[in-house]
Amino acid sequence: MNTCAGIDVVILTLDRLNDTLECIQSVLNQDYPDIRLWIVDQGSCEETVTTLKDRSKRDNFTVVETGLTGVPAGRNTGYRLGNAPIIVSLDNDAVFSDTSVLTRVERRFVTEARLGALAFAIHDYASGGPDVGSWGFPLPVEEWFDKEFLAARFCGAGHAISRRAFEQTEGYDEALFFFGEELDLSWSMVDYGYLIRYAPETSVRHKSSEEGRIHWSDGRFYYNVRNILYLNYKYFRRPTQFFNYAIGYLIKGAFSGLFSATLKGIRDAWKLSRSDDIRPPLGVAARSYVQRYEFAPRGSVWRRLRDEVLVRLTARNAS
């Protein structure tokens, strides 16, 4: 991609009206000259939808209602509404850190043709420091938050996608519904030869709103187990790896009082994995990339057992 002709910004919403309006305003405040803003509402109350539609008439953006179809389906809908070569996605409780983020985003994609996704730095809205709950990378946040690096994933709270890369894939896997959808799209783009780059110069401030959040005991851990097991089988086709991960989740689930959710997640992950239309596994080059930037930095089995399995779940951690 040597030139650029606009950026599509997509925001998924489900109530949290004041946060959403602040998010929209942060997009409108960007100094980038060619922004097309798309709001995908997934079941907000009538008052929220009416307010957003009234605001859209004044500020020239589009509101589309889909109902509660899940995060992957909502993003697929939003991404396919526009045609700009870059797609930026924000959580509706996030705002751009400054008015020039989109200008820097465009510069990145113009200068790096193989860039599939740009992972933003996610700052805590109140403190300005790292939003630890949004840090899913296998590197220590305290050491790497302000450094650029290649990665095998990005965070949903704020990121940019090459439309060309997105359209080469099958899009987000809508079977996931919630959790792991960014990892899925990342690995799919990597399989087409694209890079994922974390760039702290592109950043958002994130509120991590408790309103509307799915908590571990309300189904979050179930989706975590189901989707991560399914994605690892989908891209690697290693039954032994599926079994080992399942054992790790059983231990973690028992440790956190979520054993039944774990069993249900394992069962449903296996059902998804046996689907007739599951995509082919990663090629050799993509497997090497994921191993280098996702699995190897996590360390030995014993280190992962200590740091990822034998850790009681809280509102701020995820794996």
Side-chain angles (χ1 to χ4, degrees):
M1 185 185 301
N2 298 317
T3 61
C4 204
I7 295 176
D8 288 315
V9 179
V10 176
I11 301 170
L12 268 58
T13 63
L14 178 56
D15 289 314
R16 299 193 297 204
L17 178 59
N18 289 335
D19 288 343
T20 302
L21 292 175
E22 185 179 3
C23 178
I24 289 170
Q25 190 59 53
S26 82
V27 176
L28 299 175
N29 288 343
Q30 288 292 295
D31 59 20
Y32 186 78
D34 190 3
I35 300 170
R36 303 139 203 193
L37 176 58
W38 311 90
I39 308 297
V40 179
D41 188 87
Q42 296 203 296
S44 297
C45 68
E46 183 178 352
E47 179 185 358
T48 294
V49 174
T50 299
T51 301
L52 291 175
K53 287 185 174 180
D54 288 344
R55 178 73 180 272
S56 71
K57 296 173 185 176
R58 188 184 80 190
D59 291 319
N60 194 30
F61 60 84
T62 301
V63 179
V64 175
E65 296 179 76
T66 65
L68 190 56
T69 58
V71 175
R75 288 202 180 132
N76 281 338
T77 296
Y79 289 14
R80 290 164 180 159
L81 289 170
N83 56 18
I86 298 172
I87 307 163
V88 169
S89 183
L90 294 178
D91 277 0
N92 68 330
D93 57 354
V95 296
F96 287 118
S97 296
D98 61 73
T99 60
S100 297
V101 173
L102 292 184
T103 298
R104 294 193 291 273
V105 166
E106 182 194 59
R107 188 180 306 128
R108 283 291 187 154
F109 281 92
V110 168
T111 58
E112 190 167 9
R114 291 180 59 207
L115 187 61
L118 195 64
F120 294 177
I122 314 298
H123 294 260
D124 179 78
Y125 184 90
S127 71
D131 178 7
V132 178
S134 296
W135 183 263
F137 304 104
L139 300 168
V141 61
E142 62 278 3
E143 180 181 349
W144 287 93
F145 186 72
D146 294 323
K147 298 178 182 178
E148 183 174 315
F149 55 86
L150 286 175
R153 63 167 68 208
F154 56 85
C155 176
H159 58 273
I161 300 288
S162 157
R163 180 172 296 280
R164 181 177 63 178
F166 177 75
E167 291 180 346
Q168 283 186 256
T169 72
E170 297 176 348
Y172 286 99
D173 186 338
E174 297 183 9
L176 296 171
F177 188 76
F178 162 79
F179 208 99
E181 62 275 359
E182 298 91 5
L183 190 65
D184 172 65
L185 185 63
S186 294
W187 289 3
S188 184
M189 288 192 293
V190 166
D191 205 26
Y192 282 93
Y194 291 96
L195 304 174
I196 315 295
R197 188 175 297 281
Y198 174 82
E201 68 185 51
T202 56
S203 62
V204 298
R205 292 161 48 225
H206 186 220
K207 294 180 182 177
S208 301
S209 303
E210 286 301 304
E211 179 190 355
R213 177 178 292 275
I214 298 177
H215 293 273
W216 296 117
S217 59
D218 296 329
R220 185 179 180 89
F221 192 63
Y222 159 76
Y223 284 112
N224 183 182
V225 173
R226 188 195 70 162
N227 293 356
I228 296 303
L229 287 176
Y230 163 59
L231 289 179
N232 276 278
Y233 187 84
K234 173 181 177 180
Y235 285 100
F236 292 95
R237 296 295 203 285
R238 296 172 181 163
T240 301
Q241 181 174 327
F242 184 101
F243 176 78
N244 290 338
Y245 271 56
I247 293 297
Y249 275 122
L250 284 170
I251 296 170
K252 187 167 188 171
F255 193 66
S256 299
L258 296 167
F259 193 73
S260 62
T262 309
L263 287 175
K264 183 181 177 185
I266 293 170
R267 179 199 67 191
D268 291 350
W270 187 246
K271 289 181 180 178
L272 285 175
S273 299
R274 308 313 294 168
S275 171
D276 291 336
D277 59 355
I278 191 169
R279 59 151 284 158
L282 293 176
V284 174
R287 287 181 182 228
S288 177
Y289 181 102
V290 173
Q291 173 64 30
R292 180 175 181 180
Y293 296 113
E294 180 66 25
F295 295 135
R298 295 188 183 278
S300 67
V301 171
W302 298 113
R303 177 181 162 189
R304 296 190 68 176
L305 184 66
R306 181 196 67 196
D307 296 345
E308 301 179 28
V309 176
L310 298 176
V311 178
R312 191 174 300 277
L313 294 168
T314 71
R316 301 299 296 172
N317 63 19
S319 62

